[in-house]
Amino acid sequence: INVGIRPLFPLNEIVSGKQVPDSFTEFKCVKRFCDLGTLVIAHCNDMYSYEQEVCSKTQLNSLELRCNLTGSLAEAFAAQLHGIAAMLEEMDLIERSMTETKLIASEPTTAEQDAQTEYINCVKDIVVSNHVWSLLGGRYYSPTSPFQELRIPPHDFARSVFA
């Protein structure tokens, strides 16, 4: 899984200036957390880019595949949102587990724990930032989009969100 995003996660160390031990990124829970973050971005992107990709027939995406299975864009959209919500819930459970086992902490007590916590926070920041950029950046804006949020001009959408 990469979607062009997965390779960015290790760059968190450079940005934050905090290096995590290789053993941390090899933990199954950390790998799963990063994989889920990547999948959330991919599945959200497939919703945002649905109209462009279907019209240009450049590639299949997960929403189009779901649509082919259900026969309904509304049902496919609902299933896609349900899947994203489940992935985000699993990320939350993994994060809580990492906190309980002291791999990360809301108030780190060691430099290693601080770096590991920053790494996980950066993964979350990338997931959230991708979502915000997709809605506010204008790339997916279309007055003919099947999704109401993408029919709103980005500057108007930003005003409604941040008002």
Side-chain angles (χ1 to χ4, degrees):
I1 302 172
N2 74 27
V3 195
I5 297 295
R6 184 67 161 95
L8 291 179
F9 295 156
L11 293 177
N12 291 332
E13 296 173 81
I14 294 169
V15 172
S16 71
K18 300 173 182 177
Q19 188 169 3
V20 297
D22 290 341
S23 60
F24 175 73
T25 58
E26 293 302 316
F27 280 114
K28 281 176 86 173
C29 61
V30 174
K31 286 182 175 185
R32 180 68 179 156
F33 189 87
C34 292
D35 287 347
L36 286 165
T38 302
L39 285 168
V40 167
I41 290 170
H43 284 229
C44 286
N45 182 69
D46 283 351
M47 289 191 310
Y48 303 137
S49 62
Y50 174 80
E51 181 185 29
Q52 293 173 359
E53 291 174 357
V54 168
C55 289
S56 65
K57 300 198 182 300
T58 56
Q59 61 195 42
L60 283 175
N61 70 30
S62 57
L63 187 59
E64 184 176 2
L65 293 172
R66 286 182 197 272
C67 208
N68 290 339
L69 290 172
T70 64
S72 158
L73 181 58
E75 287 179 38
F77 184 76
Q80 189 93 336
L81 283 178
H82 179 75
I84 291 167
M87 288 184 271
L88 291 170
E89 186 176 323
E90 186 177 348
M91 287 178 76
D92 186 54
L93 290 171
I94 292 169
E95 183 178 8
R96 279 193 257 150
S97 173
M98 286 190 280
T99 301
E100 289 169 7
T101 59
K102 308 223 184 301
L103 278 175
I104 63 171
S106 56
E107 296 191 27
T109 56
T110 66
E112 181 176 277
Q113 193 180 53
D114 182 45
Q116 293 169 179
T117 302
E118 183 69 20
Y119 188 92
I120 294 300
N121 286 338
C122 285
V123 170
K124 294 188 310 185
D125 289 346
I126 289 170
V127 172
V128 171
S129 296
N130 183 77
H131 176 66
V132 171
W133 174 84
S134 295
L135 292 174
L136 299 181
R139 179 178 184 171
Y140 300 114
Y141 163 73
S142 170
T144 59
S145 174
F147 308 116
Q148 177 182 349
E149 295 82 359
L150 298 176
R151 291 191 302 264
I152 302 169
H155 61 279
D156 290 342
F157 190 82
R159 269 192 240 130
S160 70
V161 171
F162 300 113

